Amino acid sequence: MKDKTFYPKKSLGQNFLQDPNVIRKIVDAVQPRPDDTIVEIGPGRGAITSHLAGKCRELILIEFDQDLAETLQKEYETDRHVRIIRDDILKTDWKEFLPANKVVGNLPYNISSQILFALYSHAPDVGEAVFMVQKEFARRLVAEPSTKDYGIMTILTRLYGKAEILFHIPPTVFFPRPKVDSTLVRIRLDSGNNQDIDDKAYFHQLVRTAFNQRRKTLRNSLKKITEDRFIPSVDLSLRAEALTFEDFKRLYHILKGDSPASV
């Protein structure tokens, strides 16, 4: 971004990436292609944007900071392949910019979960996401059962696709320096994944209820849902963190009354 210096706004959780080597690694991970539609959440001062513009069919920038959005608008006003939406990603209607091959961004730490929930609710219209998130948050996306990081976000990520950790990013490459380490993750979304779970809202409710009281056994945490029914092939004396994704699928089908052959 040219001609103007912007200082990070703490209220928006802004930390601007400024290391050219890390920027290059992120762009390499995104792998922009000429026929891609790419959505960038929170482009900020345009560190990644400048490397994506001109390398894809359409680049859609969603920027809440009006000063930054205005400058981006001026910088790319003659580029018909770049579109700027001045709005809060949590309030934006995603139908306005989807479908997209890729969604990328350096996500504010305090709203990462909310953005991923929004992403998953539009999973059929997105190919993959490449996000920079807090290191601890990244661990939750790829955690194994019976670990402290395993939880709601792990299960829901598996429901819609598969996450992988690409590389870790130190605080020193940002201005100002955050107090936490960051991680670049890729989430490949698959619209054909887990099609047997046709009531996604119910599956969400089941997983949330199980983990919201994760220190309790499933028999107690899910009491309002199971109504003390006998649940074959799922041990309700365990805690939620002990169940695999396949266990939750099995529990879902049983509670939905699906035929034994499909469970």
Side-chain angles (χ1 to χ4, degrees), residues 59-88:
L59 179 61
I60 301 165
L61 310 176
I62 303 173
E63 179 55 63
F64 184 47
D65 185 314
Q66 296 304 301
D67 294 328
L68 291 170
E70 182 177 350
T71 301
L72 287 165
Q73 188 77 55
K74 290 177 180 178
E75 184 161 348
Y76 294 104
E77 62 184 350
T78 60
D79 191 334
R80 63 186 180 86
H81 299 287
V82 178
R83 176 158 60 104
I84 298 167
I85 298 175
R86 303 188 187 196
D87 203 355
D88 181 346

Coordinates of all heavy atoms in Angstrom, one line a residue, residues 59-88:
L59 N -10.3 -11.0 -7.3 CA -9.8 -10.9 -5.9 C -10.8 -10.0 -5.2 O -11.0 -8.8 -5.6 CB -8.4 -10.2 -5.9 CG -7.8 -10.0 -4.5 CD1 -7.7 -11.3 -3.7 CD2 -6.5 -9.3 -4.6
I60 N -11.4 -10.5 -4.1 CA -12.4 -9.8 -3.4 C -11.8 -9.5 -2.0 O -11.5 -10.4 -1.3 CB -13.7 -10.6 -3.2 CG1 -14.3 -10.9 -4.6 CG2 -14.8 -9.8 -2.4 CD1 -15.3 -12.0 -4.7
L61 N -11.8 -8.2 -1.7 CA -11.2 -7.8 -0.4 C -12.3 -7.3 0.6 O -13.1 -6.5 0.2 CB -10.2 -6.6 -0.6 CG -9.1 -6.8 -1.7 CD1 -8.3 -5.6 -1.9 CD2 -8.3 -8.0 -1.4
I62 N -12.3 -7.9 1.8 CA -13.3 -7.5 2.7 C -12.6 -6.8 3.9 O -11.9 -7.4 4.7 CB -14.1 -8.7 3.3 CG1 -14.7 -9.4 2.1 CG2 -15.1 -8.3 4.3 CD1 -15.4 -10.7 2.4
E63 N -12.8 -5.5 4.0 CA -12.0 -4.7 5.0 C -13.0 -3.8 5.8 O -13.7 -3.0 5.2 CB -11.0 -3.8 4.3 CG -10.2 -2.9 5.2 CD -9.5 -3.7 6.3 OE1 -8.6 -4.5 6.0 OE2 -9.8 -3.5 7.5
F64 N -12.9 -4.0 7.1 CA -13.8 -3.3 8.0 C -13.3 -1.9 8.3 O -14.1 -0.9 8.5 CB -14.0 -4.1 9.3 CG -14.9 -3.5 10.3 CD1 -16.2 -3.0 9.9 CD2 -14.6 -3.4 11.6 CE1 -17.1 -2.4 10.8 CE2 -15.5 -2.8 12.5 CZ -16.7 -2.4 12.1
D65 N -12.0 -1.7 8.4 CA -11.4 -0.4 8.7 C -11.6 0.5 7.5 O -11.0 0.3 6.4 CB -9.8 -0.6 8.9 CG -9.2 0.7 9.3 OD1 -9.4 1.7 8.7 OD2 -8.4 0.6 10.3
Q66 N -12.4 1.5 7.7 CA -12.8 2.4 6.5 C -11.6 3.2 5.9 O -11.6 3.4 4.7 CB -13.9 3.4 7.0 CG -15.2 2.7 7.4 CD -15.7 1.8 6.3 OE1 -16.0 2.2 5.2 NE2 -15.9 0.5 6.6
D67 N -10.6 3.5 6.7 CA -9.5 4.2 6.2 C -8.7 3.3 5.3 O -8.2 3.7 4.2 CB -8.6 4.7 7.3 CG -9.2 5.8 8.2 OD1 -10.0 6.6 7.6 OD2 -9.0 5.9 9.4
L68 N -8.4 2.1 5.7 CA -7.7 1.1 4.9 C -8.5 0.8 3.7 O -7.9 0.7 2.6 CB -7.4 -0.1 5.7 CG -6.4 0.0 6.9 CD1 -6.4 -1.2 7.7 CD2 -5.0 0.3 6.3
A69 N -9.8 0.6 3.8 CA -10.7 0.2 2.7 C -10.6 1.3 1.6 O -10.5 1.0 0.4 CB -12.1 0.0 3.1
E70 N -10.6 2.6 2.0 CA -10.6 3.7 1.1 C -9.3 3.7 0.3 O -9.3 3.9 -0.9 CB -10.8 5.0 1.8 CG -10.8 6.2 0.9 CD -11.1 7.5 1.7 OE1 -11.4 7.5 2.9 OE2 -10.9 8.6 1.1
T71 N -8.2 3.5 1.0 CA -6.9 3.5 0.4 C -6.8 2.3 -0.6 O -6.2 2.4 -1.7 CB -5.8 3.4 1.4 OG1 -5.9 4.6 2.3 CG2 -4.4 3.5 0.7
L72 N -7.3 1.2 -0.2 CA -7.3 0.0 -1.1 C -8.1 0.3 -2.3 O -7.8 -0.1 -3.5 CB -7.8 -1.2 -0.4 CG -6.9 -1.9 0.7 CD1 -7.7 -2.8 1.6 CD2 -5.7 -2.6 0.0
Q73 N -9.2 1.0 -2.1 CA -10.1 1.3 -3.2 C -9.4 2.2 -4.3 O -9.5 2.0 -5.5 CB -11.4 2.0 -2.7 CG -12.4 2.3 -3.7 CD -13.3 1.0 -4.0 OE1 -13.8 0.4 -3.2 NE2 -13.3 0.6 -5.3
K74 N -8.7 3.1 -3.8 CA -7.9 4.1 -4.6 C -6.8 3.3 -5.4 O -6.6 3.6 -6.6 CB -7.4 5.2 -3.9 CG -8.4 6.2 -3.3 CD -7.8 7.3 -2.5 CE -8.9 8.3 -2.0 NZ -8.3 9.3 -1.1
E75 N -6.2 2.4 -4.6 CA -5.0 1.7 -5.2 C -5.4 0.8 -6.4 O -4.7 0.6 -7.3 CB -4.3 0.9 -4.2 CG -3.0 0.3 -4.7 CD -2.0 -0.1 -3.5 OE1 -2.2 0.3 -2.4 OE2 -1.1 -0.9 -3.8
Y76 N -6.6 0.2 -6.2 CA -7.0 -0.8 -7.2 C -8.3 -0.4 -8.0 O -8.9 -1.2 -8.6 CB -7.4 -2.1 -6.5 CG -6.1 -2.8 -5.8 CD1 -5.9 -2.7 -4.5 CD2 -5.2 -3.4 -6.6 CE1 -4.8 -3.3 -3.9 CE2 -4.1 -4.0 -6.1 CZ -3.9 -3.9 -4.7 OH -2.7 -4.5 -4.2
E77 N -8.5 0.9 -8.0 CA -9.7 1.4 -8.7 C -9.7 1.1 -10.2 O -10.8 1.0 -10.8 CB -9.9 2.9 -8.4 CG -8.8 3.8 -8.9 CD -9.1 5.2 -8.5 OE1 -10.2 5.5 -8.0 OE2 -8.2 6.1 -8.7
T78 N -8.5 1.0 -10.8 CA -8.5 0.7 -12.2 C -8.4 -0.8 -12.6 O -8.3 -1.1 -13.7 CB -7.3 1.5 -12.9 OG1 -6.1 1.0 -12.2 CG2 -7.4 3.0 -12.6
D79 N -8.3 -1.6 -11.5 CA -8.2 -3.0 -11.7 C -9.6 -3.7 -11.6 O -10.1 -3.8 -10.6 CB -7.2 -3.6 -10.7 CG -6.9 -5.1 -11.0 OD1 -7.6 -5.8 -11.7 OD2 -5.8 -5.5 -10.5
R80 N -10.1 -4.1 -12.8 CA -11.5 -4.6 -12.8 C -11.5 -6.0 -12.2 O -12.6 -6.5 -12.0 CB -12.0 -4.6 -14.3 CG -11.2 -5.5 -15.2 CD -11.7 -5.4 -16.6 NE -10.9 -6.2 -17.6 CZ -11.2 -7.5 -17.8 NH1 -12.3 -8.0 -17.2 NH2 -10.5 -8.2 -18.7
H81 N -10.4 -6.6 -11.9 CA -10.4 -7.9 -11.3 C -10.4 -7.9 -9.7 O -10.3 -8.9 -9.1 CB -9.2 -8.7 -11.8 CG -9.1 -8.9 -13.2 ND1 -10.0 -9.8 -13.9 CD2 -8.4 -8.3 -14.2 CE1 -9.7 -9.8 -15.2 NE2 -8.8 -8.9 -15.4
V82 N -10.3 -6.6 -9.2 CA -10.3 -6.5 -7.7 C -11.6 -5.8 -7.3 O -12.0 -4.7 -7.8 CB -9.1 -5.7 -7.2 CG1 -9.1 -5.5 -5.7 CG2 -7.8 -6.4 -7.7
R83 N -12.3 -6.4 -6.3 CA -13.5 -5.8 -5.8 C -13.3 -5.6 -4.2 O -12.8 -6.5 -3.6 CB -14.7 -6.7 -6.1 CG -16.0 -6.2 -5.4 CD -17.2 -6.7 -6.2 NE -17.3 -8.2 -6.2 CZ -18.1 -8.9 -5.5 NH1 -18.9 -8.3 -4.6 NH2 -18.1 -10.2 -5.6
I84 N -13.8 -4.5 -3.7 CA -13.6 -4.2 -2.3 C -15.0 -4.1 -1.6 O -15.9 -3.4 -2.1 CB -12.8 -3.0 -2.1 CG1 -11.4 -3.2 -2.6 CG2 -12.7 -2.6 -0.6 CD1 -10.6 -1.9 -2.8
I85 N -15.1 -4.8 -0.5 CA -16.4 -4.8 0.3 C -16.0 -4.2 1.6 O -15.2 -4.7 2.4 CB -17.0 -6.2 0.5 CG1 -17.4 -6.8 -0.9 CG2 -18.2 -6.1 1.4 CD1 -17.8 -8.2 -0.8
R86 N -16.6 -3.0 1.9 CA -16.3 -2.3 3.1 C -17.3 -2.7 4.2 O -18.4 -2.2 4.3 CB -16.4 -0.8 2.9 CG -15.5 -0.2 1.8 CD -15.5 1.3 1.9 NE -14.8 1.9 0.7 CZ -14.4 3.1 0.7 NH1 -14.7 3.9 1.7 NH2 -13.8 3.6 -0.4
D87 N -16.9 -3.8 5.0 CA -17.9 -4.3 5.9 C -17.1 -5.2 6.9 O -16.0 -5.7 6.7 CB -19.0 -5.1 5.2 CG -20.3 -5.2 6.1 OD1 -20.2 -4.7 7.2 OD2 -21.3 -5.7 5.5
D88 N -17.8 -5.5 8.0 CA -17.4 -6.4 9.0 C -17.7 -7.8 8.5 O -18.8 -8.1 8.2 CB -18.1 -6.1 10.3 CG -17.7 -7.0 11.5 OD1 -17.1 -8.1 11.3 OD2 -18.1 -6.7 12.6

